[in-house]
Amino acid sequence: MIVAAALPLVAEYGAAVTTSRIARAAGIGEGTIFRAFKDKDELLDACVAEAVGTDHVLRELASISLDEPLAARLAEAAEALRAHMERMGTVVGALHASGHRRGRGIGLGSRDGEAPLPDSRGGEAAPPDRRAGETPPPDSRAQSVTALRNAVIELLEPDRAAFRLSPEKVAAAFLALLFTRLQTPAPVPEADAPLTPDELIAVLLHGTLNAPGSA
């Protein structure tokens, strides 16, 4: 409850957020915060762990109905993953910009608290949820990558027979395209603008060539 209340405030104020403000948002006394966390830094570390953890986005992906058309399933998945990356970048970026440097081990692949980036295979570098400030196990990054990819594979399974490639490879391609799009800096010239989610899904499912006879 405390971390959930703190997250939007941390995203807005970074490390400058006060525990009294967080307590008001959570509807509790300020002393309750210090019974749960030894100090504000530990609470901020817990916020980073929550922001980069994949549990929330995995629940979002699991809630997508397999009865929907494939393109609709992928569009919902793209939105869930975009929101996850945006929240992670906002929270971690706000803390980094305001001087918070603890909890560096929370995001594998990060530098001095910067938001971890997706890997080249389309996975996301955030580790699973764990106690704030602990060094992640060596395989936590791989576990997160695998969990995200498996969630997308599940969304693809009903249409396995329609793919020329395995759902595993299609899922990897989807994540790679999506995270490359999300990492494109903005603003950019219109000609260099990243694919929209609909364009990305169209490229994934149908390629970039016109159908024969449609040119």
Side-chain angles (χ1 to χ4, degrees):
M1 179 181 72
I2 295 173
V3 171
L7 275 172
L9 296 172
V10 171
E12 183 175 358
Y13 299 104
V17 66
T18 64
T19 52
S20 61
R21 185 185 290 271
I22 292 171
R24 287 196 299 273
I28 58 176
E30 189 174 6
T32 303
I33 291 177
F34 295 106
R35 286 194 288 274
F37 302 94
K38 67 179 182 182
D39 54 27
K40 189 175 83 169
D41 279 334
E42 187 172 87
L43 171 56
L44 294 179
D45 287 346
C47 288
V48 175
E50 176 64 22
V52 304
T54 55
D55 282 0
H56 179 78
V57 70
L58 289 173
R59 287 193 296 270
E60 290 287 314
L61 294 174
S63 72
I64 297 172
S65 173
L66 298 181
D67 293 329
E68 294 187 46
L70 175 60
R73 275 176 265 149
L74 290 177
E76 290 187 43
E79 174 56 26
L81 289 161
R82 182 207 61 76
H84 169 65
M85 291 292 287
E86 183 176 279
R87 181 177 74 157
M88 178 173 64
T90 300
V91 170
V92 179
L95 287 173
H96 180 69
S98 57
H100 184 71
R101 295 292 186 271
R102 289 182 39 164
R104 294 183 183 183
I106 290 175
L108 293 179
S110 63
R111 298 189 303 276
D112 293 342
E114 291 177 357
L117 297 175
D119 76 353
S120 60
R121 292 169 297 180
E124 185 257 320
D129 286 345
R130 54 190 164 72
R131 294 175 62 184
E134 290 185 358
T135 301
D139 62 348
S140 62
R141 182 175 184 274
Q143 289 173 350
S144 276
V145 171
T146 300
L148 288 174
R149 189 166 59 243
N150 286 346
V152 175
I153 290 169
E154 184 173 344
L155 293 176
L156 298 172
E157 277 294 344
D159 294 273
R160 174 182 283 270
F163 293 117
R164 287 180 295 156
L165 301 175
S166 68
E168 290 76 13
K169 289 186 176 181
V170 176
F174 171 72
L175 290 170
L177 284 169
L178 178 64
F179 285 125
T180 297
R181 172 187 179 274
L182 292 176
Q183 289 184 68
T184 301
V188 296
E190 184 176 353
D192 299 325
L195 297 173
T196 66
D198 287 344
E199 288 171 338
L200 184 152
I201 292 166
V203 168
L204 179 72
L205 298 181
H206 309 297
T208 59
L209 295 177
N210 286 317
S214 64

